[in-house]
Structure formats: structure tokens, C-alpha cells
Amino acid sequence: MSTEIPQPPSQPGMAERAIDAATDVSHTIGEVAGGLRAAVDRLTHVIDEARKPGNPLSTVAAITREAPLTSLFVAFLFGVAIARRR
């Protein structure tokens, strides 16, 4: 028969817990950065497609180049209309 008193399992120290927390945060930041990078890539692709001739963004850009003050006035009126709805 042994006279040793069983020791409870050792718990991680403060430094080990801090390292684990930092590792978890690092992984989370990496996942968020990857998701953000994918979203930016999709948005860039959509904008590039919309800039092709004949698409809406191309048409708006051409109108804006031809009549910048008129386009600015229309954008201002559109902003006022949206602001009044809220």
C-alpha cells in the first residue's frame, strides 16, 4: 500500500492560458482576414463586370464624364430624397 497522497491534475498557469488565448485570437483574425479578402475579391469582380461597355456602371460613368454638374445635382437630389425618408 502506498502512502502517497494523490495530487490533483495540474492546471495551466497564467502564461500558458495567455499563450492559448493569443493563439485563438490569431486564428480568429486569420479567418476574418481570409473572409474579408474573399469578399473584396468578389466585389472587385462584380465592379469589373459592371464597368464593361454596355453595363450600368459604364453608362453612369460615361454620363458623369459628359455632364459632371448635372450628375452632381441629380446625386444631390437623390441624397435629399433618401434622407427625408428616414
Side-chain angles (χ1 to χ4, degrees), residues 17-32:
R17 287 185 294 193
I19 290 172
D20 289 343
T23 303
D24 291 344
V25 168
S26 174
H27 288 297
T28 303
I29 289 173
E31 290 171 3
V32 169

Side-chain angles (χ1 to χ4, degrees), residues 1 5-6 8 11-13 15 24-25 28 30 39 45 52-54 57 60 62 69-71 73 78-79:
M1 187 169 253
I5 301 173
Q11 298 202 358
D24 291 344
V25 168
T28 303
H45 176 71
K52 289 183 179 176
L57 195 56
V60 170
L69 288 178
T70 305
S71 299
F73 180 68
F78 185 69

Side-chain angles (χ1 to χ4, degrees), residues 15-59:
E16 292 170 333
R17 287 185 294 193
I19 290 172
D20 289 343
T23 303
D24 291 344
V25 168
S26 174
H27 288 297
T28 303
I29 289 173
E31 290 171 3
V32 169
L36 184 59
R37 189 174 302 115
V40 168
D41 289 343
R42 285 193 303 267
L43 183 60
T44 301
H45 176 71
V46 169
I47 290 173
D48 288 342
E49 288 296 318
R51 284 185 176 169
K52 289 183 179 176
N55 288 333
L57 195 56
S58 173
T59 305

